[in-house]
């Protein structure tokens, strides 16, 4: 019993030091070059996915199949988005989900954004303006189902 008290007394200061210095719960790290935010902006004809980044970076894009995905590697950027998935403000028919991961930590750092496409995605364009980058997905036009009218004899 006496030995357990000694162990408890020696662990308590180390535990307090750890908690108060942030070793257990570190504060969010702010990087010089970072992806800070990804948002989706839906409309009738397109879905815009906007990337908010700071610092100098370049990007590479490619597509994967089964399921069909658009992948964008943001080179020289660190990921500051805590959640691995970004909510899609859409019906899921153009883009089903978006995931953001830190693909490589350094030499160079790469943040990877993967967008899984839905049935209505017909094409996309990447537009970059400074730190802002947008991926604009075009939607298939929804063709109305023709109404069948019964034929009546006069």
């Amino acid at each position: 019993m006496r030995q357990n008290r000694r162990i408890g007394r020696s662990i308590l200061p180390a535990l307090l030091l750890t908690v108060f210095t942030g070793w257990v719960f570190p504060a969010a790290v702010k990087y010089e070059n970072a992806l800070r935010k990804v948002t989706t902006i839906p409309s009738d004809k397109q879905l815009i996915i906007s990337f908010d980044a700071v610092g100098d970076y370049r990007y590479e894009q490619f597509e994967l199949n089964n399921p069909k995905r658009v992948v964008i590697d943001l080179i020289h950027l660190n990921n500051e988005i805590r959640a691995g998935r970004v909510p899609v403000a859409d019906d899921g028919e153009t883009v089903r989900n978006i995931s953001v991961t830190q693909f490589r930590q350094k030499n160079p750092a790469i943040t990877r954004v993967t967008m899984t496409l839905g049935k209505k995605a017909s094409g996309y364009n990447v537009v970059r303006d400074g730190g802002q980058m947008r991926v604009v997905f075009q939607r298939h036009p929804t063709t109305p189902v023709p109404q069948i009218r019964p034929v009546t004899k006069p």
Side-chain angles (χ1 to χ4, degrees):
M1 186 80 163
R2 190 170 227 173
Q3 187 178 6
N4 288 342
R5 287 184 189 166
R6 255 188 270 148
I7 292 172
R9 288 181 188 161
S10 64
I11 292 176
L12 184 61
L15 181 62
L16 291 174
L17 178 67
T18 303
V19 170
F20 287 115
T21 59
W23 289 352
V24 174
F25 305 106
V29 176
K30 294 286 185 180
Y31 294 100
E32 215 172 282
N33 295 344
L35 177 64
R36 299 264 165 93
K37 189 175 178 184
V38 176
T39 55
T40 58
I41 306 159
S43 71
D44 290 339
K45 296 182 181 181
Q46 62 189 12
L47 174 67
I48 300 170
I49 299 174
S50 176
F51 302 80
D52 185 16
V54 294
D56 292 329
Y57 69 96
R58 62 184 176 87
Y59 71 92
E60 293 177 1
Q61 67 190 49
F62 56 95
E63 295 180 15
L64 298 172
N65 290 314
N66 296 327
K68 188 163 182 164
R69 293 160 287 174
V70 173
V71 179
I72 297 183
D73 283 344
L74 303 168
I75 301 163
H76 300 293
L77 283 187
N78 289 290
N79 179 18
E80 286 189 356
I81 299 172
R82 288 188 180 246
R85 297 212 181 270
V86 175
V88 180
D90 188 35
D91 57 7
E93 294 291 319
T94 308
V95 174
R96 291 195 333 235
N97 62 46
I98 302 168
S99 65
V100 182
T101 58
Q102 187 69 46
F103 183 70
R104 187 185 302 157
Q105 292 291 332
K106 54 185 172 179
N107 297 330
I110 298 175
T111 295
R112 177 168 282 180
V113 180
T114 306
M115 296 156 279
T116 305
L117 303 184
K119 297 174 187 173
K120 289 186 181 177
S122 63
Y124 67 95
N125 294 319
V126 178
V127 180
R128 183 163 175 206
D129 182 22
Q132 291 284 326
M133 189 168 98
R134 294 181 304 279
V135 181
V136 181
F137 287 95
Q138 301 303 319
R139 297 181 190 223
H140 286 297
T142 54
T143 55
V145 177
Q147 297 293 323
I148 300 174
R149 297 183 183 188
V151 177
T152 56
K153 293 184 181 181

